[in-house]
Amino acid sequence: MKKEELPFVVDLHEKVAVVTGGGGVICSCLSQALAACGAKVAVLDRSLDKADALAKQIVADGGKAKAYLGNVLDKASLHQAHEEILKDFGPADILLNGAGGNSPLATCADEKVTVEDLDSDTKNFFNLEESGFQFVFNLNILGTLLPSQEFASDMAKRKSGSILNISSMNAFRPLTKIPAYSAAKAGVSNFTQWLAVALSDLNIRVNAIAPGFFSTTQNKALLWNEDGTPTKRTGKILAATPMGRFGKVEELIGATLFLLDEKSASFVTGVVLPIDGGFNAYSGV
Ligand code: NAD
C-alpha cells in the first residue's frame, strides 16, 4: 500500500506498532496503512505463514515490517515475541489488538428458539457447546487482555502509547445466532473503557473501532450461499444498513490512523467508534 492510497497520512516514523492477528483480512490492510505512515510494524499472528507474507509485501512496498509467531492466548508465546520485537525494532508505541473472531460451535442455526429445539439435532440454544463459548470469549477477551498486559509495559515505562481494540456492531445490540461473539465483543467494548481509565495516568490512550458489516472470510458462510448468491441474512443486513452496502476493509483505515495517532487524537480515550454505514443509528423504521 502506498501513501497515496491512504485517506490521509499521519506521521508514525520511528513508531513501533504491534498488530495481533496481523495476517488476517482486516489487520493486514491496517498494518499496511500503518507502515505506509512510516511505522515499523510487528505483524504478530499464530499463523506465521500469513504474517510473513504480509511483512514481505510491506517491505516490497518500501515499508518496515517483520513477522512474529505469537498466540494471543498464551502469555509465554507473547513474551517470546515481545523479546524478539524489542531486539529488532525497540519498545512498542502502538498496539492494535486485531486477533479475534467467532466459532461455528457457538452459532445457532436459527434466529429464534422453538420448543422442538429441545429434541432437535440442529444447532440451537439448548445444545450450543460450552467449549464454543469458551473459545470465543477467550479469543476476543483474553486475546485482548494478554497482549495489552505484555505490550503496555513498554508504554508504561515511557509514559506514552496508544492501544486500539477491535469491537463490533454486535457489542451495541446482539446479532441473532451468534450469542458468544456478541457477548464477547460487548466485553471488548467494556474492557476498552475500563483500560482507558486505568492507563490514563500513564498517558496511554485506549480506544476501539466497531466495524459494521464487512464481507470477509470470517463471516463468509453466514453471508453467502455456496453458489455465491446472498443469504437471507445478507438481505437483512443490507436493509438495516442505511448506506445500503457492505463496508470495504480500507474504510477502516481513516478511523484507525486517527485514533492511534497521538497528535490527531491526543484527548481521545475510551471511545468505541462505529464504522457501520449507519447500522447502529437506524431503528429500522
Ligand atoms: P480474520 O480471521 O481474517 O483474521 C484474524 C487473524 O487472527 C488471523 O490471521 C488468525 O490467524 C489470527 N488469530 C486467530 N487466533 C489467534 C491467536 N490465538 N493468536 C494470534 N493470532 C490469532 O478476521 P478479520 O475478519 O480480519 O477480523 C479481525 C478482527 O475484526 C476480529 O477481532 C474480528 O472479530 C473483528 N471484526 C470483524 C468484522 C468482519 O466483518 N470481518 C466485523 C467486526 C469485527
Side-chain angles (χ1 to χ4, degrees):
M1 188 181 288
K2 305 277 179 223
K3 259 188 187 175
E4 301 73 57
E5 295 170 61
L6 300 175
F8 55 87
V9 178
V10 296
D11 182 7
L12 299 180
H13 282 95
E14 295 313 311
K15 299 286 183 198
V16 174
V18 178
V19 183
T20 73
V25 176
I26 288 179
C27 283
S28 55
C29 172
L30 299 180
S31 296
Q32 291 182 73
L34 295 172
C37 289
K40 297 186 252 182
V41 182
V43 184
L44 187 150
D45 206 292
R46 70 168 175 194
S47 162
L48 189 58
D49 286 351
K50 277 162 72 178
D52 204 38
L54 174 68
K56 286 196 171 107
Q57 178 66 53
I58 290 175
V59 172
D61 286 344
K64 293 189 181 114
K66 193 168 170 192
Y68 298 87
L69 181 65
N71 178 354
V72 295
L73 301 178
D74 178 358
K75 274 185 160 208
S77 138
L78 288 168
H79 192 65
Q80 166 80 33
H82 190 185
E83 295 286 304
E84 291 169 30
I85 294 167
L86 280 169
K87 259 189 257 146
D88 295 334
F89 287 152
D93 300 287
I94 285 171
L95 171 65
L96 172 51
N97 278 314
N102 192 20
S103 162
L105 284 179
T107 301
C108 297
D110 297 306
E111 290 189 355
K112 291 192 182 174
V113 178
T114 63
V115 70
E116 286 76 27
D117 285 342
L118 283 165
D119 302 311
S120 163
D121 288 337
T122 56
K123 266 197 287 157
N124 67 67
F125 168 69
F126 294 112
N127 63 21
L128 275 184
E129 306 259 357
E130 192 182 325
S131 62
F133 265 70
Q134 257 162 7
F135 173 84
V136 176
F137 282 180
N138 284 349
L139 177 57
N140 292 282
I141 298 188
L142 281 185
T144 298
L145 167 76
L146 300 183
S148 299
Q149 289 177 315
E150 186 66 41
F151 293 102
S153 65
D154 287 352
M155 304 176 192
K157 285 175 199 154
R158 301 188 306 153
K159 287 211 166 185
S160 165
S162 178
I163 297 175
L164 188 67
N165 298 329
I166 306 194
S167 183
S168 168
M169 244 333 85
N170 57 37
F172 301 97
R173 277 172 300 152
L175 301 183
T176 57
K177 299 186 183 180
I178 51 171
Y181 187 59
S182 297
K185 287 300 192 188
V188 169
S189 289
N190 188 284
F191 178 63
T192 298
Q193 294 175 311
W194 184 87
L195 195 62
V197 174
L199 297 181
S200 56
D201 283 355
L202 296 173
N203 192 33
I204 302 170
R205 296 178 304 104
V206 187
N207 294 293
I209 52 171
F213 293 89
F214 293 74
S215 180
T216 65
T217 42
Q218 187 191 306
N219 53 18
K220 198 171 163 198
L222 282 169
L223 301 183
W224 306 103
N225 297 314
E226 278 181 13
D227 63 4
T229 54
T231 61
K232 201 171 146 200
R233 194 170 179 89
T234 289
K236 289 179 81 169
I237 289 167
L238 296 180
T241 302
M243 292 181 80
R245 63 173 175 85
F246 285 110
K248 299 188 205 92
V249 172
E250 305 79 59
E251 290 178 299
L252 299 172
I253 293 175
T256 299
L257 295 181
F258 164 69
L259 289 171
L260 282 175
D261 177 44
E262 64 189 2
K263 292 200 186 90
S264 312
S266 52
F267 200 46
V268 182
T269 195
V271 308
V272 180
L273 179 60
I275 305 166
D276 65 347
F279 181 91
N280 193 42
Y282 185 39
S283 71
V285 179

